[in-house]
Amino acid sequence: MRDWADVLEANGATPATVRRLVAQLRACEAAAIAFCRLLERWGKGDAHPATPGARRAAFRHAADRVETALAGLETPLSAYLIELEPDRAEGSSWYGGPGAGELVEWRPVLERAGVTACPNRTAAVYLELAVLVRALQGLDDAVRLDVVPDRSSLWAGLFDLRDTLLGATVDDLRALAA
């Protein structure tokens, strides 16, 4: 079954660059899903791990895992964007921003979990990671429906993701993992 990686492969100039980018995006996606699901479970009252100390460690580990994955994304994504650069710059991003349902007040969730972390940073990271996951899932849907974005739009979307994820999000993750 085809997926978002096939879109990147079809538009990439160098197979090695595409392989590195796909591998790193898969690592980012897995780490992002794990981070978001951890918070969502706590939001539903599932206190796993069982102790506050273990929950703090799990939170820091999840944040560190995402930060490490995102740090490894910069080089392959930048190389891919250089190779992909379209003839025209009129493309539009192919994914949406966060929805109202993703705006969660994490302070009470973190307090109940016994995790001392900045709720504003947690909310910002959660939203940006949710956007990353949704963008990749949206690209999967586009492949399935045979409505893949053109090169210009693919470039614009990847550029936007890079700009968002490799700036404040990495800084917020470093602070949360500390």
Side-chain angles (χ1 to χ4, degrees):
M1 182 172 158
R2 292 176 30 121
D3 68 357
W4 58 262
D6 296 313
V7 174
L8 299 181
E9 186 177 320
N11 287 284
T14 309
T17 300
V18 173
R19 278 192 306 275
R20 284 191 301 273
L21 177 59
V22 167
Q24 203 58 43
L25 275 173
R26 288 198 193 283
C28 289
E29 180 181 35
I33 289 170
F35 182 88
C36 291
R37 285 188 179 156
L38 179 70
L39 289 171
E40 290 164 1
R41 281 195 315 267
W42 292 348
K44 292 176 185 174
D46 179 2
H48 180 77
T51 66
R55 286 190 292 276
R56 283 190 295 273
F59 181 80
R60 285 189 195 106
H61 175 71
D64 183 58
R65 183 177 167 210
V66 177
E67 190 272 327
T68 300
L70 289 177
L73 181 62
E74 185 170 9
T75 300
L77 181 54
S78 295
Y80 186 85
L81 287 170
I82 289 169
E83 291 177 7
L84 178 67
E85 193 154 2
D87 294 335
R88 60 184 179 82
E90 289 88 28
S92 60
S93 190
W94 33 267
Y95 63 88
E102 292 167 324
L103 299 175
V104 176
E105 172 54 51
W106 291 109
R107 181 181 309 278
V109 173
L110 293 170
E111 287 175 356
R112 255 190 339 268
V115 174
T116 52
C118 177
N120 294 337
R121 285 184 187 263
T122 301
V125 166
Y126 178 87
L127 289 173
E128 297 304 340
L129 296 179
V131 167
L132 168 66
V133 170
R134 188 173 44 255
L136 295 175
Q137 290 171 346
L139 207 46
D140 273 346
D141 292 342
V143 168
R144 194 179 75 253
L145 298 171
D146 201 26
V147 290
V148 177
D150 61 20
R151 286 179 67 86
S152 181
S153 294
L154 182 61
W155 186 89
L158 290 172
F159 184 87
D160 288 348
L161 278 175
R162 182 187 73 175
D163 214 33
T164 301
L165 293 172
L166 300 179
T169 304
V170 170
D171 294 337
D172 287 340
L173 282 162
R174 284 187 185 125
L176 294 175

